[in-house]
Amino acid sequence: MEKNSIRNRVTFGVGTIGRDMVYAIVSMFLIVYLTEVMKFPDSTMAWIVGIIFIARIFDALTDPLMGFIVDNTNTRWGKFKPWISIGAVLSPVFTILLFTDFSLQGSGFIIAFAIFYFMWGISYTLHDISYWSMLPGLTVNQKEREKIGSLARICANVGLFFVVVAVLPLTGILGEKFGSPQKGYFIFSILVSVFMSLGLCVTIFGVKETGIVSAKKQSTPIKELLGIIVKNDQLLFIAIAMSLFMIGYMTTTTFGVYFFKYAYGDENMFPVFSAILGVSQLSALTLFPLFSKKFERKTLFTGAIISISAGYILFFYAPVTTMVFIGIAGVLIFFGQSFIQLMMLMFLADSVDYGHWKLGKRNDSITFSLQPLIYKLGGAVGSGIVGAVAIISGINQAETAAEVTPQGILLMKAAMLIFPLLCYAGCYLIYRTKFKIDSKFYAQILADLRERGEIKS
């Protein structure tokens, strides 16, 4: 076992529990807070929706630039921890400001919201890019990376699902205690923000960066930013495959509430399905290291795709009068998806070493900046598909399941289940035909880097 391995697994993973709590409350419940608690008029909300859309595009496009900045950082504390530290201070501040009632209305609120939301995105990016791009520097052992990554993903899901399950009841309790629903959200935002800062402190002071020493310390010119991605063919191929995967994943999950309200006929079953999703993902991430001991990644990837495909087919043909078959389909889908998401993280880490080997430079953060960019792209495309289908199928104007035609339900199910399955097929095809970093090739990469004196023996 490598020195500091257990310490790094735990302290790295703990750092993302609170991060995902904060991300969940802003990305999933900020709109709920503005519409259901603050009850701003449609004219104001139209501006808010536009601001959020523009900010997400801006945020996605600036992720590689942030990766470039981190990769060119050189301090006594390394290049990752300074930015994690700055983000750990600024991100909670702007999270709390988003849920603070300044008694503003109209243009005054819109301007304040735009400033706070843009600054929240920037501050979150500071620690998000630097946090995940630290992973390849903790070890060059593929199995140890899987253990660190799987525990980090488990912690991230714990933070996410805590907020999904607890935000409504806890904000209700806090609202009653302190006098208003607004204060309930405000105090809840403080709690998750403090937890985020404390968790990142565990990572900052607990993680020991060991294992890799880059032979070339020169900075990367801004003009080489695009070339780093394009010339690293393995990174480019896995980024395309990952994009297809996330578009399919986000399209399915975004349709969730609509399916249970209009196809199943009971939107109260959506939390039940969400619980199935959460248990399936956590179980998959917990079991992944055991599976990886016995099977190569290509075998695991193939098995995950088979599981997902079986789940989608069962979901499509499952009778909507019972939750049993839908629940089984959900387990098959999200168990397999968790395997693939974790392996994608490992593929990105391996492509850092491949780029180092092929191009002679190590660009951890530029490489890992593609992960949030792809997630945001998947979310944007998925939301666009859902919005278009909601309009075409008649769901947008419906109040109950009875108001949607059978053709409308079929269109929704096709977009929710068949289109994503095609995306996964494209992802699998690219991975199997273009991505060549298996365990044998990776061992050769490490051997060459050691011979060149660019990593520790």
Side-chain angles (χ1 to χ4, degrees), residues 110-296:
I110 292 168
I111 292 171
F113 179 84
I115 294 171
F116 296 154
Y117 194 81
F118 269 87
M119 291 305 299
W120 179 84
I122 293 170
S123 62
Y124 194 89
T125 297
L126 293 180
H127 59 78
D128 192 40
I129 300 294
S130 46
Y131 174 87
W132 286 112
S133 57
M134 185 191 296
L135 176 60
L138 300 182
T139 179
V140 294
N141 184 297
Q142 284 187 313
K143 297 303 180 184
E144 182 60 25
R145 276 184 184 170
E146 290 171 0
K147 292 175 182 178
I148 296 173
S150 61
L151 182 56
R153 284 295 185 193
I154 289 171
C155 291
N157 280 3
V158 167
L160 169 68
F161 285 107
F162 171 80
V163 170
V164 170
V165 172
V167 63
L168 295 181
L170 283 184
T171 54
I173 293 171
L174 292 169
E176 289 183 6
K177 182 175 179 61
F178 292 96
S180 72
Q182 188 281 322
K183 287 187 173 64
Y185 271 89
F186 174 69
I187 295 169
F188 190 80
S189 71
I190 293 175
L191 294 175
V192 296
S193 295
V194 169
F195 200 92
M196 188 198 82
S197 293
L198 292 175
L200 285 177
C201 284
V202 172
T203 297
I204 293 165
F205 295 107
V207 168
K208 297 296 182 182
E209 297 178 61
T210 58
I212 292 177
V213 177
S214 178
K216 295 191 176 182
K217 298 293 183 181
Q218 70 267 31
S219 63
T220 300
I222 187 67
K223 64 181 181 181
E224 294 184 12
L225 180 58
L226 183 60
I228 290 168
I229 299 171
V230 175
K231 292 178 182 178
N232 187 333
D233 57 293
Q234 295 301 283
L235 173 60
L236 184 61
F237 289 133
I238 209 61
I240 295 171
M242 194 173 179
S243 297
L244 289 170
F245 175 83
M246 286 309 301
I247 289 171
Y249 176 81
M250 294 303 296
T251 299
T252 296
T253 54
T254 307
F255 266 115
V257 174
Y258 293 101
F259 175 84
F260 282 98
K261 183 174 182 178
Y262 296 107
Y264 188 81
D266 184 3
E267 60 185 312
N268 292 322
M269 291 305 295
F270 177 68
V272 177
F273 188 73
S274 296
I276 293 172
L277 183 155
V279 171
S280 300
Q281 290 185 330
L282 290 173
S283 299
L285 293 170
T286 302
L287 294 172
F288 182 86
L290 298 178
F291 279 88
S292 69
K293 288 181 180 180
K294 297 183 177 181
F295 303 101
E296 290 288 326

Side-chain angles (χ1 to χ4, degrees), residues 106 183 386 423:
K183 287 187 173 64
V386 172
C423 289

Side-chain angles (χ1 to χ4, degrees), residues 276 280 303-312 314 325-338:
I276 293 172
S280 300
I305 286 292
I306 292 172
S307 176
I308 291 171
S309 300
Y312 270 92
L314 178 59
F325 293 110
I326 294 174
I328 295 172
V331 171
L332 292 171
I333 291 169
F334 293 109
F335 193 94
Q337 285 177 336
S338 294

Side-chain angles (χ1 to χ4, degrees), residues 16 23 26 47 50 70 135 166 208-209 248-249 271 325 343 358 366:
T16 202
Y23 189 81
V26 173
W47 278 97
V70 175
L135 176 60
K208 297 296 182 182
E209 297 178 61
Y249 176 81
F325 293 110
M343 281 187 279
K358 180 180 180 180
I366 292 175

